[in-house]
Amino acid sequence: MRAVASAPGKIILFGEHAVVYHKPALAMAVNRRARVEVEETGGDQIFITLPDLDVEGVLGPGGELEFSGTGKVGILNYITQAVKLLPVPGGLKIRVKLEIPIGAGMGSSAAITVATLTALTQLRRESLDKTALASLAHQVELEVQGAASPMDTAVSTHGGLVYLHGQGEVENLELPGELPLVVAYTSYRGNTGELVAGVRHRRDLYPRVVDPILEAMEMVTQRARKALQEEDEEVLGDLLNINQGLLDALGVNTPELSRMVYLARSAGARGSKITGAGGGGSIIAYAPGKTQKVLKKLQEEEEAFPVGLSHQGVELED
Ligand code: PMV
């Protein structure tokens, strides 16, 4: 028997870092997915391949993992952890196709985890509702990474535009139209744990300075929710730029990210900002009617591609 599931990657539009302090965040599922095929085989080994990353692994019956390839083998841990939580008797072949760049802050590990758990659930002839699935996937991320917010797995599971309330409640927002964005990413990625710790350190040192920044981020996210629903391009652009300034004030910007942010704006983006933890990784640019121009400009310097909203969360495929 064989099961195939796919799940989208994500970008954070507003509220990264502030979300750690129970402020709201807005994130969206993007039209780039992880596709996971799981096939039952005889034997007792689990073969895992991710051809796009040149990563392969074999999980033996005793839980020992052997890996090969030139890519980032750490990604295998999410899959083996998922198999540990939802075991299937006998051997398996697991093949992952990835359209999401790895290490760019676009939730590739969450998408792989959510899709793997869904395919395994199908093989076990069980079903999980989306809330239970998102929470199981978050558990996998916590076990592999030590710390992770529930945002990536929630967005990958539910799809669409997600408003994460300060207390962790996930709300899917309806968006009347499209949301064309360009993502550009640097060749290295910041370490999320270290960046979060850096913000905490500055907050401990200067609480009366940093707390108002986090509160301003909360106001930006709340206002952005309204602007998105009203399709107010001008306000949305302004809020992205304000959010960028606040992230810079928190100390997570870098000269490379800043350069891309301003490059995008000079090419016509209405707004642009870091997306995710910062310190490297990606920026997003919002350029209604000028996406191609901004894309071309960013591609002269870094890897860049257009992304759109994906309404489709995790799904089983034929
Ligand atoms: O590293 P990313 O792109 O998954 O973003 C991390 C977002 C933070 O708010 C900085 C941390 C978190 O756990 O929410």
Side-chain angles (χ1 to χ4, degrees), residues 200-306:
R200 186 171 299 280
H201 180 63
R202 284 183 281 285
R203 181 173 179 252
D204 289 344
L205 286 177
Y206 316 111
R208 292 175 65 181
V209 175
V210 174
D211 280 342
I213 298 174
L214 298 170
E215 273 153 34
M217 286 178 155
E218 178 173 20
M219 298 304 132
V220 166
T221 303
Q222 287 175 353
R223 183 66 184 83
R225 172 187 177 135
K226 188 162 172 271
L228 277 164
Q229 287 175 320
E230 289 170 356
E231 295 190 273
D232 192 329
E233 293 178 359
E234 203 173 320
V235 172
L236 206 53
D238 283 347
L239 293 171
L240 287 164
N241 294 341
I242 293 170
N243 199 155
Q244 170 64 15
L246 296 171
L247 284 166
D248 196 357
L250 287 185
V252 301
N253 200 7
T254 68
E256 293 76 16
L257 290 170
S258 224
R259 185 170 153 63
M260 286 198 285
V261 159
Y262 282 104
L263 204 61
R265 289 183 204 168
S266 69
R270 190 62 198 78
S272 56
K273 68 179 269 292
I274 293 166
T275 182
S282 307
I283 67 136
I284 48 172
Y286 173 59
K290 293 191 181 153
T291 302
Q292 284 311 316
K293 196 165 165 240
V294 170
L295 179 65
K296 211 166 147 257
K297 193 82 197 158
L298 288 168
Q299 278 174 337
E300 286 169 15
E301 306 270 330
E302 301 282 356
E303 300 275 349
F305 52 85

Side-chain angles (χ1 to χ4, degrees), residues 10 12 15-17 19-20 105 148-149 151-152 189 192 196 275-277:
K10 68 101 209 322
I12 301 174
E16 49 275 90
H17 286 289
V19 72
V20 175
S149 86
M151 197 155 39
D152 288 19
R189 141 147 235 205
T192 300
V196 168
T275 182

Side-chain angles (χ1 to χ4, degrees), residues 4-10 28-35 110-111 114-115 118 130 133-134 152-162 172 309-317:
V4 185
S6 76
K10 68 101 209 322
M28 77 177 212
V30 297
N31 50 359
R32 287 188 167 232
R33 303 177 74 83
R35 224 167 240 98
V114 166
T118 302
K130 287 201 167 175
L133 172 66
D152 288 19
T153 42
V155 175
S156 204
T157 302
H158 296 279
L161 188 63
V162 168
N172 255 100
L309 175 70
S310 166
H311 292 282
Q312 199 57 57
V314 65
E315 63 180 352
L316 278 165
E317 300 189 355

